[in-house]
Amino acid sequence: MNEYKKIELVVGAFVLAGIISISWMAVKLGQIGGVGASGYALEAVFEDAGGMRSGSDVMLAGVVIGRVSDVVINEESEAKLTLLIHDDISITADAIASVRTKGIIGERYVRISQGGDDTLLQSGDEIEETESAINIEDLVSKYIFSSSEE
Amino acid sequence: MSGELVVTHNWFVRVVGKLGRNVLGIVSWLGDMASITTSSLALIFAPPWQGRHVVLQLYALGVGSFIIIAITGAFTGMVLSLQGYYTLAKFGSESLLGSAVALSIIRELGPVLGALMLVGRAGSSITAEIGIMRVTEQLDALQMMAVNPRARIILPRIVAITIATPLLVSMFDIIGLGAGYVVGVEMLGVNAGAFTGEMVAKILPEDLYAGWVKAVVFGFLVGSVCTYMGYRAVPTTEGVAKATTQAVVIGSVGILMMDYILTSFFL
Amino acid sequence: MIRSEKLTRRFGDVTALDQTDVSIREHAITVIMGGSGSGKTTLLRLLAALDIPTSGSVWFDGDDLAQVSSKRLYELRARMGMVFQYSALLNSLNVYDNVAFPLHEHTKLDESVIRTVVSMKLEQVGLRGFEHLMPSELSGGMAKRVAFARALAMDPEVVFFDEPTSGLDPISAGVVTTLIHDLTQKTKMTSIVVTHDVQAGLAIADHVILLWQGKVIAEGTADEIRQSTDERVSQFIEGRPDGPIPFSRSTTPYIDDLLHSSGGVNS
């Protein structure tokens, strides 16, 4: 019986260690119930999200301030992104959200540029001003088109 | 001419017949395994509660496998970091090392290597133990003492290993990430902030769920295959030896096949 | 109290037991004898409901063991005990826990009461004081006596013995047969013994059933069997190598095999 109590203790410690491992991964790596979920949500509609995926960074002045939590197509066949922003960061109502690329072939992120407005966006609000992804192919074709016209 | 036809015909019939027999054999084998596993699991709600035996099996199968899991996890993380560094350095993207290591370990290598180690360490011992109980008539003795061996022997083992696998795989993941960090940052000189930052940025909750679901499924697979092989072992010493080998082989192949299926669901 | 009716058990094409009717007398020792492959172990396993007959029934008082629900079977098993050929002690438990096993499983008795019962049972088989030993530390004869004590733990009405003397030295064999005889008389239980040990079997039997090729060829008291005029019976009792039960089990003519002619193995 005493032997069994000892085994029970070791098994308890083992299960506890496992649960701590799982929670550590969930909170630190997956940010489940962590920073992402405790932030507030803003929406932004883009004509071209440029292959943005949920999980991409949202940056302000080159600092990560949140993540893209959802990418869907709205009724007008535009890309509607839901951005989860850290609670301690406030975004002005006239801020501009643009889809940018880290480096030339790097991954997409959403860049926020603050405006000068005094009103701040609340959870669920939409960032009105958006700039779609810059498509290199479009740029190239525009250049060829404009140069052939001359 | 007609003689030749008859020969081809026979050959064809033989091959198709053999194929059919094998397929039927596998199907009936799977059916038998499913029936023993489900009939054992159904007893989880039937008194008497086998909690004490689940705890004992968690000790034998879970705690007992920790060392091997820790060693495998550490070396997996180290080699991934080393190998990944030299590949990524060619593109000048060493900063992605953290996310490369973390994604490989959490989505694939943790569950798969962890489960393969568990088949070898815990699964083989399950099959051998139950097989020996069969040879020495201990399973019959339990029956005669009105104790259902499915409830007493099979059920606690399946439950214990299904619980233990995700726990062990999470420990494998963390040890692997730690070891990968040490090699990548301390030894190869990757920027520590980039390593952890990229790691955290690229790991989504879905990746974690994928890893855990895999771990649970693999644990259950190992439990049901290995208990079944032991329970149905031919009751001789050679029979048990053969069953143990087969359990490890079938368990390992099953894990890899199931991994492909699950990965295709989660991508 | 136990009676079989047209009991048949086939394994594939082999008929191990063919339309057998036996009846076991209460409070007496019934010895089932026969050579290897005569079906005696099959009969014992069917009577103990460890195997399911191909056809026919086994009546245990009012219940047909071939038909009862597993729940009812577990209730009936509380009235049975069995001593297996290789003792079948649970090798993870010591002698005390093995003997106490049925009590722990099926009663809510206080541990002190169980301790008393275990001491009594071990005293009956002459092994009190060996409680702390593990099964692996016991000799064959001692293990069998512990198994006997375990079978008696629940004070069963019927105890089955599978080859109680096989693999034992003559003294241990004598001890075990004497124990079966004495305890059957003292506790008024019904004993069913399967053995190929003719002398030991006849010495303790109140009733003898002789099987040959899955059929009962003789039945009666030990004296009736000894004086039987049936050639097959006297051959078995005297242990003559050749007689109506042929020495050669070859199925093809010897001369054909030697000459490699048709009818041999090569055809």
Side-chain angles (χ1 to χ4, degrees), chain B residues 216-257:
Chain B
V216 172
V217 172
F218 294 165
F220 181 74
L221 184 89
V222 172
S224 52
V225 168
C226 292
T227 50
Y228 173 76
M229 294 307 288
Y231 197 71
R232 282 278 187 260
V234 179
T236 59
T237 38
E238 304 88 67
V240 174
K242 204 172 149 209
T244 309
T245 313
Q246 281 178 339
V248 172
V249 170
I250 295 172
S252 310
V253 174
I255 286 167
L256 294 174
M257 280 164 52

Side-chain angles (χ1 to χ4, degrees), chain C residues 106-179:
Chain C
H106 299 298
T107 67
K108 293 204 171 7
L109 294 175
D110 205 60
E111 194 61 33
S112 62
V113 179
I114 292 182
R115 192 163 286 280
T116 313
V117 174
V118 171
S119 295
M120 281 165 57
K121 300 301 172 187
L122 284 175
E123 176 65 27
Q124 283 182 322
V125 297
L127 284 179
R128 202 162 40 79
F130 291 85
E131 282 90 342
H132 58 281
L133 289 184
M134 296 304 284
S136 55
E137 299 168 311
L138 299 174
S139 71
M142 283 161 81
K144 206 145 263 186
R145 281 150 77 178
V146 173
F148 199 164
R150 180 178 69 177
L152 294 175
M154 297 286 282
D155 294 320
E157 294 166 34
V158 184
V159 180
F160 300 92
F161 297 87
D162 189 8
E163 303 282 9
T165 57
S166 83
L168 299 185
D169 65 86
I171 296 174
S172 301
V175 167
V176 171
T177 38
T178 314
L179 275 175

Side-chain angles (χ1 to χ4, degrees), chain A residues 48 132-145:
Chain A
D48 182 353
S132 287
I134 297 161
N135 191 324
I136 292 178
E137 282 172 49
D138 284 352
L139 284 180
V140 172
S141 63
K142 195 187 268 176
Y143 174 74
I144 295 169
F145 185 65

Side-chain angles (χ1 to χ4, degrees), chain B residues 25-168:
Chain B
I26 290 171
V27 168
S28 78
W29 183 87
L30 282 174
D32 192 31
M33 184 169 84
S35 112
I36 287 191
T37 302
T38 47
S39 69
S40 306
L41 284 179
L43 294 166
I44 198 165
F45 300 112
W49 165 237
Q50 305 287 348
R52 186 191 152 96
H53 295 274
V54 173
V55 170
L56 288 173
Q57 290 306 319
L58 269 174
Y59 181 74
L61 304 174
V63 178
S65 306
F66 174 72
I67 297 290
I68 184 90
I69 288 288
I71 293 173
T72 320
F75 279 98
T76 306
M78 284 157 68
V79 79
L80 270 179
S81 208
L82 199 58
Q83 191 67 259
Y85 178 81
Y86 284 109
T87 313
L88 290 170
K90 293 199 165 111
F91 306 102
S93 348
E94 298 97 315
S95 59
L96 293 175
L97 186 61
S99 53
V101 170
L103 278 176
S104 318
I105 287 187
I106 288 171
R107 287 195 67 109
E108 282 299 327
L109 294 175
V112 172
L113 286 183
L116 288 178
M117 287 296 138
L118 281 177
V119 181
R121 165 64 176 70
S124 61
S125 80
I126 291 177
T127 308
E129 189 186 12
I130 299 181
I132 285 167
M133 295 185 85
R134 168 69 75 203
V135 176
T136 55
E137 299 176 313
Q138 290 179 52
L139 294 178
D140 286 334
L142 285 175
Q143 287 274 14
M144 284 310 292
M145 293 187 283
V147 171
N148 189 340
R150 293 185 191 195
R152 169 51 61 83
I153 304 297
I154 295 187
L155 174 69
R157 283 168 177 75
I158 296 182
V159 171
I161 201 155
T162 310
I163 295 173
T165 309
L167 300 179
L168 284 167

